[in-house]
Amino acid sequence: PCSLDTAVPFGLLLNELVTNAFKHAFKDGAEGTLRVRLRVEGRQAALEVEDDGPGLPAGFAVSESSNLGLRLACVLAEQLGGSLAWGSGSGARFTVRFGIDAFRKS
């Protein structure tokens, strides 16, 4: 179990990244694949949300984006003591890395 101070931002962050993928990667009912992974490596965890949509525009930066949801995702990642990274290849990929100690109940 973890505290509400951890569970709430994690749930909101996951919801934001998945919702954002559906909104931007699968426009107008386009079909595609959405992958959500949570990996634990030692004392670190990585949450990945990846789609096979059109990807991110060249030079994309959350800080310069008009997407309020992604800005919120950065704040939520920071609340978990982590950070949000992004990339584009065959779609968009957002990765949140954080320490698993954030999930220990206080």
Side-chain angles (χ1 to χ4, degrees), residues 21-22 24-27 30-35 50-56 87-93:
F22 276 107
H24 296 286
F26 310 122
K27 289 183 179 182
E31 291 187 18
T33 301
L34 177 66
R35 289 183 183 87
E50 181 177 16
D51 63 63
D52 63 355
L56 301 169
S88 192
S90 58
R93 180 179 56 258

Side-chain angles (χ1 to χ4, degrees), residues 59-80:
F60 176 82
V62 170
S63 61
E64 297 174 13
S65 172
S66 63
N67 187 320
L68 184 60
L70 288 179
R71 290 184 186 183
L72 174 62
C74 282
V75 171
L76 293 168
E78 289 175 7
Q79 284 183 11
L80 293 171

Side-chain angles (χ1 to χ4, degrees), residues 7-21 34-38 47-49 73 76 80 96:
V8 170
F10 183 83
L12 290 170
L13 176 59
L14 178 59
N15 182 69
E16 190 57 49
L17 293 176
V18 168
T19 300
N20 201 55
L34 177 66
R35 289 183 183 87
V36 178
R37 293 184 205 99
L38 179 62
L47 170 66
E48 294 179 349
V49 177
L76 293 168
L80 293 171
V96 181

